[in-house]
Amino acid sequence: MQQIIYFITKNSTKLLFLLLLVVSLYLTVQTHSYHQSQMLHSANVVSGTIYEKTNSLTEYLHLKDENNRLAEENAKMKQILYNSQLIIDSTFAVNPEIRIAQDYKLFNAKIIKNSFYKKENYLTIKGGLVNGVKKDMGVINAKGVIGIVENVSKNYATIQSILNTHTKIGAKVSNTNHFGTITWDGKNAGYVQLMDIPKLAALRKGDSIVTGGISTIFPENVPVGLVDKVFTSKNSNFYTISVRLFNDMTNISSVYLIEHVKIKEIIELEEQTVSDE
């Protein structure tokens, strides 16, 4: 208390000056409309700037939530796209029933590890059995195919990358419908190889390569890449095609997992068919 009294006594002249200055400014503003408008304008500018900075900071802090929301919306849109096939069922009805096929479910996941410089590359995602992740699910992103789920734990899963010498994915040339198999020779992370396309197929550089839809892993027409080079051999009736990937596999952060909801039924039927032979 004594220090406060000492401070006021020592600086009484300065404090009195500040008090009179504040009072005079207040009286000036209250008695002159021009000064009032200028004061309000200045206050609005200051408060507007503060609100703008605060809002920007708030938006930045919520950016992660917004990205997650957009990823979930994209997954729903892709699910609708891959299930857009119309089915006309007239087997047991006088009036045919028109419905939409519901073969695929999609949900998003975050990549926490990605290798692309080995012969056998894998990705690790946050999301496992508790999230509905299963072995052999197809994995894609907005640009195209990423790989196939290999192993799953309670909260995580590993994905066999398209950049893995053991990966084999059914694909086709979009404008010819000739089917082949995507493999990787382990050399360039930007290119894969499409094998077993017959020489009867009309090919040219820039043709789109997409999934064939003949497996239970990927829907039809998921993008893979573009034809870059076509190699031929006199000893083979098939092309070897170099495909430039749409994805930059060295720079991916999130993916979509594809679940074929009828895969169990298909596998059981195929196993029964084999056992009957």
Side-chain angles (χ1 to χ4, degrees):
M1 187 66 182
Q2 290 180 349
Q3 291 180 348
I4 296 175
I5 297 173
Y6 174 76
F7 174 80
I8 295 173
T9 304
K10 182 178 179 180
N11 299 280
S12 58
T13 304
K14 295 179 181 179
L15 292 175
L16 179 61
F17 171 76
L18 289 175
L19 177 63
L20 293 174
L21 178 62
V22 171
V23 172
S24 61
L25 288 174
Y26 174 78
L27 293 174
T28 301
V29 170
Q30 290 297 316
T31 55
H32 295 80
S33 59
Y34 173 77
H35 291 88
Q36 287 182 357
S37 64
Q38 291 299 311
M39 181 65 73
L40 288 174
H41 175 72
S42 300
N44 288 336
V45 170
V46 173
S47 61
T49 302
I50 293 174
Y51 290 146
E52 182 180 359
K53 298 298 182 182
T54 303
N55 185 60
S56 298
L57 179 60
T58 302
E59 289 180 350
Y60 176 78
L61 294 175
H62 289 85
L63 188 59
K64 181 179 179 180
D65 294 336
E66 183 67 14
N67 287 338
N68 290 336
R69 185 185 66 80
L70 290 175
E72 291 175 359
E73 288 184 358
N74 286 336
K76 292 178 182 177
M77 293 299 294
K78 287 182 178 293
Q79 180 171 313
I80 293 172
L81 175 64
Y82 294 140
N83 287 308
S84 61
Q85 179 183 1
L86 290 178
I87 297 176
I88 301 178
D89 188 353
S90 58
T91 307
F92 302 105
V94 176
N95 297 319
E97 177 187 359
I98 300 177
R99 54 192 173 85
I100 297 178
Q102 293 292 332
D103 292 338
Y104 299 99
K105 289 182 179 180
L106 276 79
F107 52 95
N108 60 295
K110 182 73 174 178
I111 295 174
I112 60 175
K113 185 179 180 181
N114 176 25
S115 67
F116 46 82
Y117 51 86
K118 305 175 183 178
K119 295 289 185 181
E120 300 175 7
N121 292 298
Y122 289 88
L123 304 93
T124 304
I125 61 171
K126 185 177 181 181
L129 294 172
V130 295
N131 307 106
V133 181
K134 302 174 183 177
K135 182 179 173 63
D136 292 332
M137 278 185 169
V139 184
I140 66 173
N141 68 359
K143 293 183 178 181
V145 174
I146 297 295
I148 301 170
V149 174
E150 177 74 8
N151 292 301
V152 187
S153 67
K154 182 179 179 181
N155 296 297
Y156 300 93
T158 55
I159 299 165
Q160 183 173 295
S161 171
I162 195 173
L163 300 181
N164 187 308
T165 53
H166 295 301
T167 299
K168 297 184 184 300
I169 297 173
K172 66 179 181 178
V173 184
S174 63
N175 63 339
T176 68
N177 285 324
H178 284 91
F179 290 86
T181 303
I182 289 290
T183 61
W184 187 54
D185 59 11
K187 296 179 180 179
N188 192 321
Y191 296 83
V192 293
Q193 290 69 48
L194 177 59
M195 315 297 290
D196 302 328
I197 297 294
K199 289 183 178 179
L200 295 174
L203 295 174
R204 62 182 179 182
K205 184 175 181 179
D207 284 345
S208 294
I209 305 299
V210 297
T211 54
I214 58 175
S215 74
T216 55
I217 297 178
F218 292 100
E220 188 176 7
N221 295 323
V222 178
V224 177
L226 299 174
V227 172
D228 185 67
K229 293 180 182 179
V230 180
F231 301 95
T232 60
S233 172
K234 294 181 179 179
N235 301 323
S236 174
N237 293 321
F238 300 94
Y239 290 122
T240 297
I241 303 170
S242 176
V243 179
R244 178 165 55 86
L245 292 172
F246 287 126
N247 268 309
D248 178 0
M249 293 297 294
T250 68
N251 184 27
I252 48 179
S253 59
S254 60
V255 293
Y256 300 108
L257 304 178
I258 303 175
E259 178 185 5
H260 195 309
V261 297
K262 300 176 182 177
I263 187 172
K264 184 178 180 180
E265 177 184 349
I266 295 172
I267 292 175
E268 288 178 352
L269 179 62
E270 291 176 345
E271 290 176 347
Q272 180 182 346
T273 302
V274 173
S275 63
D276 289 343
E277 292 180 353

